[in-house]
Amino acid sequence: MLTAVLSISLYGRELLKATVKNGLNAYWYLFTATPIASYNMPDIPTMGSFHGAEVPFVFGDQFELSSDGERRLSAAMGCYWVNFAATGNPNNGPTQCAEQMLLPTWPTIGVDGVLMQMSNTTIEARAGVKQEQCDMFAHYS
């Protein structure tokens, strides 16, 4: 599992950095919320924040959102995704939802690999996530 997580992180990071190097903005996120319930993964406590766990949050699937914290996270993620689809920037959109919800500014990935970490309790920008592990994999790949 560690190899899969790191290889996905490594190749995602490298692709996003190449995008930035070519003069475009790129945004990276890390979803760390463990859903309370899931119709697709009945054994949530042992699965943690599995691949695809963020999908019901992005699309506001109320039948999978079990708490006020999950609904707040879903509203924030939906706002960021709609903004990005409309403008190419998760911070700015046609409804000004990011400003109205007082969401933190989602930074571009930049050279230090900054990403937006999203959990049930916080949404925050973080730099250097898994950097040492990804750098090691990049060195040997």
Side-chain angles (χ1 to χ4, degrees):
M1 181 67 127
L2 178 62
T3 303
V5 169
L6 288 176
S7 65
I8 290 169
S9 296
L10 166 65
Y11 294 119
R13 179 188 77 165
E14 297 306 310
L15 176 64
L16 292 169
K17 283 185 172 185
T19 300
V20 171
K21 187 177 179 181
N22 284 302
L24 301 171
N25 288 332
Y27 301 89
W28 194 16
Y29 74 97
L30 176 64
F31 185 81
T32 58
T34 298
I36 295 169
S38 172
Y39 288 95
N40 296 315
M41 298 290 207
D43 196 19
I44 286 293
T46 59
M47 293 299 295
S49 182
F50 57 90
H51 177 72
E54 75 278 14
V55 173
F57 289 82
V58 170
F59 293 104
D61 294 339
Q62 296 301 310
F63 64 93
E64 292 220 15
L65 304 173
S66 302
S67 71
D68 289 341
E70 286 188 340
R71 286 184 279 281
R72 279 191 300 274
L73 177 58
S74 175
M77 292 179 72
C79 172
Y80 283 132
W81 264 248
V82 166
N83 285 350
F84 184 78
T87 67
N89 183 331
N91 303 298
N92 303 313
T95 66
Q96 289 82 41
C97 58
E99 296 86 6
Q100 292 169 3
M101 296 173 69
L102 303 174
L103 295 177
T105 300
W106 187 334
T108 59
I109 185 173
V111 294
D112 57 353
V114 73
L115 56 73
M116 188 64 88
Q117 183 172 353
M118 301 180 185
S119 76
N120 288 52
T121 56
T122 60
I123 299 174
E124 63 184 351
R126 292 190 53 208
V129 175
K130 298 182 184 171
Q131 184 167 340
E132 286 182 41
Q133 298 92 335
C134 285
D135 288 348
M136 182 202 58
F137 269 73
H139 178 75
Y140 292 106
S141 62

